[in-house]
Amino acid sequence: MTIDIRARLADVLPGIRQDLEDLVRIESVSADPARAAEVERSAEATEALFAAEGFETEIVRAFEGAPPAVIAKKAGPEGAPTVLLYAHHDVQPENDHADWDSPPFEPTERGDRLYGRGAADDKAGIAAHLGAVRIFGDDLPVNLVMFIEGEEEVGSDTLVELLNTYKDRLEADVIVIADSGNWDIGEPALTTSLRGLVRMDVGVRTLTHAVHSGMWGGLVPDSIMALSRLIASLNDDEGNLLIEGLHSGPAADVDYPEARLRAESGAAEGVQWIGTGSAVERLWTKPALSITGFDAPKVDGASNTLVPMARCRISLRVAPGDTTANAVTCLQDHLEKHVPWGATLTTTVVDTGEATQIDATGPAYDAARAAFAEAWDGTAPVDMGVGGSIPFIAEFLETFPKASVLVTGVEDPDTRAHGANEGLHLAEFEKVVLAEALLLRNLGQLDR
């Protein structure tokens, strides 16, 4: 039986939109213990959606009290490849409601977008999978496994245990991870590299107790000044990292226009870019370091006191091809060599996540590129890097080394995932659903 995929998409899209809105209304903020029941409700709602499509479903967890994930399976033709479709049903905190133009958990359409927390990241990933399923109904071209995680936004702490425990049920020839984005509106992408992450808390102590700045300033160094000098040692005047031993690599030959960089980054007027190399190299395939937290007295109410200890949090993005173990060693060595004035240095690794480099060649990737080009009316997908980190992708690659892993997504440069006014571009979402259905069709036609 030949299915008119575009016609079926038009039929199922209104229902998919409604199901997505219902999911967005569930406040499944995994970082908020007070909303643990909402995370459970989100898993139950997700399970029910796939059970209604004839899947064998189960809510699973690594141990009692762990966040809930959903596994669902439905058979296709005998001998067809097995495809695992991943998304996550938990969402980021919405933070200050005053920053939103509409209530964060009430899906609201404005212009060409549907706004709400999780409307894109990543309940739209669930909806895209559901849409592809409904297009085929009981005539699936492949065997399907759904794995919908419930703790991605808090680091996927139990994911490895889940993958190992349920490995036999999750084994697949192709894994589609719908948690990334596209290059631009109207330009699809396959994500083929992601940077890793090392977060380290760094403390510098110069005194055993606070002292008067007038009595001792000029002789005794204060910890804030010492920490500031240590931070300054990490970059040269152009902004390139000076940490020896970190890996860098080339990036795809993709133009990132200056006007678009300015608009999407939110850079203040007059701010200059840091580092050297192409924009996408600096964003995708070179290491980068930021200070994301700083402990020091507030300006309001500050006294004339030398502070005995100052502390910051370093966020080091690790280039594809490097390891977090190497990055930790290189960062630690640099800090120890450059801490000034004999100050006492303390460091604590908060967490790490490995970088990912995908060899996007072979039949599954050819099938994906053909599907994307067809869905976007002849526009071929870009092989895109991502400067941020999705460490669990490396865990999928390690657990299922024979699988072809495709990283796709519903986001675009103005999605504002994790921020206020997160929004899903509805026309692009329609293309995402179409592309996934075409991908499943193409995979089902591969030689068995």
Side-chain angles (χ1 to χ4, degrees), residues 57-359:
T57 65
E58 184 180 1
I59 294 176
V60 300
R61 59 193 83 227
F63 51 83
E64 186 175 351
V70 176
I71 295 177
K73 301 188 73 170
K74 187 173 182 178
E78 186 175 350
T82 297
V83 180
L84 185 150
L85 303 178
Y86 168 95
H88 62 87
H89 66 87
D90 66 318
V91 299
Q92 279 281 320
E94 73 278 22
N95 299 319
D96 190 348
H97 286 216
D99 293 333
W100 289 74
D101 295 333
S102 52
F105 293 103
E106 182 51 49
T108 304
E109 183 175 348
R110 293 193 303 276
D112 51 16
R113 291 183 182 271
L114 179 69
Y115 291 90
R117 175 58 85 228
D121 183 21
D122 185 33
K123 290 177 177 178
I126 301 171
H129 296 333
L130 189 63
V133 166
R134 286 185 181 163
I135 284 171
F136 291 107
D138 290 331
D139 295 307
L140 292 177
V142 295
N143 301 297
L144 281 182
V145 182
M146 299 291 161
F147 182 58
I148 314 298
E149 191 190 355
E151 57 175 339
E152 194 276 341
E153 299 292 11
V154 288
S156 302
D157 286 346
T158 71
L159 177 63
V160 172
E161 189 170 346
L162 281 173
L163 294 180
N164 289 331
T165 300
Y166 297 98
K167 183 175 180 179
D168 290 345
R169 292 169 61 181
L170 298 174
E171 198 92 44
D173 302 293
V174 179
I175 299 173
V176 179
I177 295 177
D179 195 26
S180 186
N182 288 308
W183 176 237
D184 202 356
I185 301 297
E187 294 187 64
L190 282 171
T191 297
T192 58
S193 72
L194 301 101
R195 289 191 293 198
L197 173 65
V198 171
R199 293 199 301 166
M200 179 183 287
D201 287 348
V202 177
V204 172
R205 178 176 288 278
T206 58
L207 290 159
T208 57
H209 58 83
V211 297
H212 193 286
S213 63
M215 298 292 292
W216 294 103
L219 177 68
V220 177
D222 70 83
S223 61
I224 295 175
M225 190 175 291
L227 181 56
S228 298
R229 287 179 67 92
L230 182 57
I231 291 171
S233 77
L234 292 163
N235 296 87
D236 64 18
D237 289 343
E238 290 184 287
N240 295 297
L241 276 182
L242 293 173
I243 302 171
E244 295 181 357
L246 295 179
H247 175 78
S248 294
D253 184 16
V254 176
D255 180 41
Y256 207 147
E258 178 73 11
R260 182 177 161 191
L261 279 169
R262 292 277 168 190
E264 293 174 5
S265 68
E269 186 176 354
V271 167
Q272 300 175 1
W273 307 128
I274 61 173
T276 55
S278 72
V280 292
E281 283 177 342
R282 282 177 273 177
L283 291 172
W284 298 347
T285 61
K286 297 181 73 171
L289 186 144
S290 303
I291 307 300
T292 58
F294 202 101
D295 288 342
K298 294 181 179 179
V299 172
D300 291 343
S303 62
N304 292 322
T305 305
L306 298 183
V307 178
M309 184 174 182
R311 194 169 66 124
C312 72
R313 176 161 293 179
I314 286 176
S315 174
L316 176 61
R317 298 292 170 168
V318 181
D322 207 345
T323 66
T324 57
N326 178 64
V328 167
T329 298
C330 294
L331 177 57
Q332 182 74 36
D333 289 347
H334 179 97
L335 295 172
E336 290 175 355
K337 290 176 183 177
H338 290 85
V339 62
W341 303 318
T344 300
L345 173 73
T346 58
T347 59
T348 303
V349 176
V350 179
D351 53 23
T352 64
E354 295 298 334
T356 300
Q357 183 76 57
I358 296 173
D359 178 14

